[in-house]
Amino acid sequence: MYDWFSQLSPVIQALIAGIFTWSLTAAGAAAVFFVRGVNNKLLNTMQGFAAGVMIAASFWSLLAPALEFSEKAGNIPWIPAAVGFLLGGMFIRGLDFIIPHMHREGSEGHRQEGVKSNLKQSTLLLLAITLHNIPEGLALGVAFGSIIHHDHTALLAAIGLAIGIGIQNIPEGTALSLPLYADGKSKGKAFQLGQASALVEPLFAVIGAAAVLLITPLLPYALAFAAGAMIFVVVEELIPESQSGNNTDLATLGLMLGFTIMMILDVSLG
């Protein structure tokens, strides 16, 4: 299986990885068929877990390779990492400002961001999670796109990143479908919206991989760009939402567990 996968082009590998992470989002969203209602303790813990995975992936899978690649190319290592990281955060902030979406804030209700619109609340919640998934798709793309410049360990590291993102996508899908069901959607509709939030991951995985392959010097900037975009989402959305209830200790422990699992995956495979 590994030999077959390793022979594919990085773009196809990124596409398969994106489909894999989307499928685990769908698996998480399917929890709505088996769970009666929202358990805020579980929800906050899962949000913290997802934040921990993304923080670890941002450094171990993206920033560290960006620094290493720049150094090997004879450049000042921190320049591409710093520039790409800041641009990634600015990119998501720009989308945040333009695209109408809504964040769930525990018992306090919902907070709407972006341009004013008359979209349904469920659509706004879906757009919020979709924005969250764009950096994950880009991260997958640039990780697999970088394989062409490294040995097989880079492929293992990219696979580890896909596994880590996929693992955190399970609670992410649940964290969208259950609140939608609690807000009055049918279980079928809540599942459909939950899984649809990750459909952007295969798309942006392909975009990220293709961009890196077409413009080789872009690689360290692209890696850091994906890291900056992910950290922006973590700090702006995941951590505040996980801490919005009365389960701050559980959310924090979930974050530490997610960070540890992603770190182990990346270091052991990379």
Side-chain angles (χ1 to χ4, degrees), residues 50-52 54-55 229-240 255:
M54 292 180 71
I55 292 171
M230 290 177 71
I231 290 297
F232 186 95
V233 168
V234 168
V235 177
E236 193 264 348
E237 178 185 340
L238 285 179
I239 291 179
L255 186 151

Side-chain angles (χ1 to χ4, degrees), residues 114-184:
V115 298
K116 293 183 179 181
S117 75
N118 295 319
L119 295 174
K120 294 180 179 180
Q121 179 174 293
S122 58
T123 303
L124 293 171
L125 288 170
L126 170 63
L127 287 172
I129 303 298
T130 301
L131 280 173
H132 174 169
N133 286 324
I134 289 175
E136 296 175 8
L138 287 172
L140 289 173
V142 296
F144 280 96
S146 68
I147 292 170
I148 198 169
H149 306 291
H150 296 81
D151 56 22
H152 75 98
T153 59
L155 176 58
L156 292 175
I159 292 173
L161 176 62
I163 293 172
I165 290 177
I167 290 173
Q168 70 95 26
N169 273 3
I170 297 173
E172 189 175 274
T174 306
L176 179 58
S177 64
L178 288 183
L180 286 172
Y181 176 59
D183 287 341

Side-chain angles (χ1 to χ4, degrees), residues 1 19 54 61 66 70 95 101 105 112 115 120 122 127 153 181 229 236 240 251 268:
M1 182 69 177
I19 293 173
M54 292 180 71
S61 301
S70 295
L95 294 181
H101 59 286
E105 294 190 324
Q112 186 169 342
V115 298
K120 294 180 179 180
S122 58
L127 287 172
T153 59
Y181 176 59
E236 193 264 348
S268 61

Side-chain angles (χ1 to χ4, degrees), residues 64-78 80 220:
L67 291 166
E68 180 183 354
F69 186 84
S70 295
E71 189 171 14
K72 287 182 178 179
N75 301 319
I76 300 175
W78 59 265

Side-chain angles (χ1 to χ4, degrees), residues 3-260:
D3 291 337
W4 168 80
F5 186 74
S6 65
Q7 298 302 314
L8 299 174
S9 75
V11 173
I12 299 300
Q13 290 172 342
L15 175 61
I16 293 172
I19 293 173
F20 167 74
T21 57
W22 160 78
S23 68
L24 291 186
T25 302
V32 73
F33 295 114
F34 308 101
V35 179
R36 291 185 177 182
V38 178
N39 183 317
N40 286 325
K41 285 186 178 180
L42 179 61
L43 182 61
N44 293 152
T45 303
M46 291 190 301
Q47 289 169 329
F49 179 88
V53 170
M54 292 180 71
I55 292 171
S58 295
F59 176 74
W60 298 102
S61 301
L62 300 170
L63 280 177
L67 291 166
E68 180 183 354
F69 186 84
S70 295
E71 189 171 14
K72 287 182 178 179
N75 301 319
I76 300 175
W78 59 265
I79 290 180
V83 172
F85 185 82
L86 293 174
L87 287 176
M90 291 169 62
F91 172 71
I92 297 299
R93 177 64 187 96
L95 294 181
D96 230 13
F97 184 76
I98 296 171
I99 298 176
H101 59 286
M102 181 177 288
H103 296 289
R104 185 178 177 89
E105 294 190 324
S107 59
E108 299 177 8
H110 302 86
R111 167 174 51 89
Q112 186 169 342
E113 294 183 353
V115 298
K116 293 183 179 181
S117 75
N118 295 319
L119 295 174
K120 294 180 179 180
Q121 179 174 293
S122 58
T123 303
L124 293 171
L125 288 170
L126 170 63
L127 287 172
I129 303 298
T130 301
L131 280 173
H132 174 169
N133 286 324
I134 289 175
E136 296 175 8
L138 287 172
L140 289 173
V142 296
F144 280 96
S146 68
I147 292 170
I148 198 169
H149 306 291
H150 296 81
D151 56 22
H152 75 98
T153 59
L155 176 58
L156 292 175
I159 292 173
L161 176 62
I163 293 172
I165 290 177
I167 290 173
Q168 70 95 26
N169 273 3
I170 297 173
E172 189 175 274
T174 306
L176 179 58
S177 64
L178 288 183
L180 286 172
Y181 176 59
D183 287 341
K185 295 293 179 184
S186 68
K187 289 188 175 183
K189 187 66 172 180
F191 167 75
Q192 290 176 12
L193 291 171
Q195 62 83 26
S197 66
L199 288 174
V200 295
E201 291 193 5
L203 171 63
F204 278 88
V206 169
I207 291 173
V212 168
L213 292 176
L214 290 173
I215 312 173
T216 300
L218 183 67
L219 177 57
Y221 293 93
L223 288 165
F225 182 95
M230 290 177 71
I231 290 297
F232 186 95
V233 168
V234 168
V235 177
E236 193 264 348
E237 178 185 340
L238 285 179
I239 291 179
E241 289 186 7
S242 71
Q243 300 287 325
S244 63
N246 298 317
N247 308 299
T248 56
D249 287 343
L250 286 174
T252 303
L253 290 172
L255 186 151
M256 296 182 69
L257 177 62
F259 184 97
T260 302

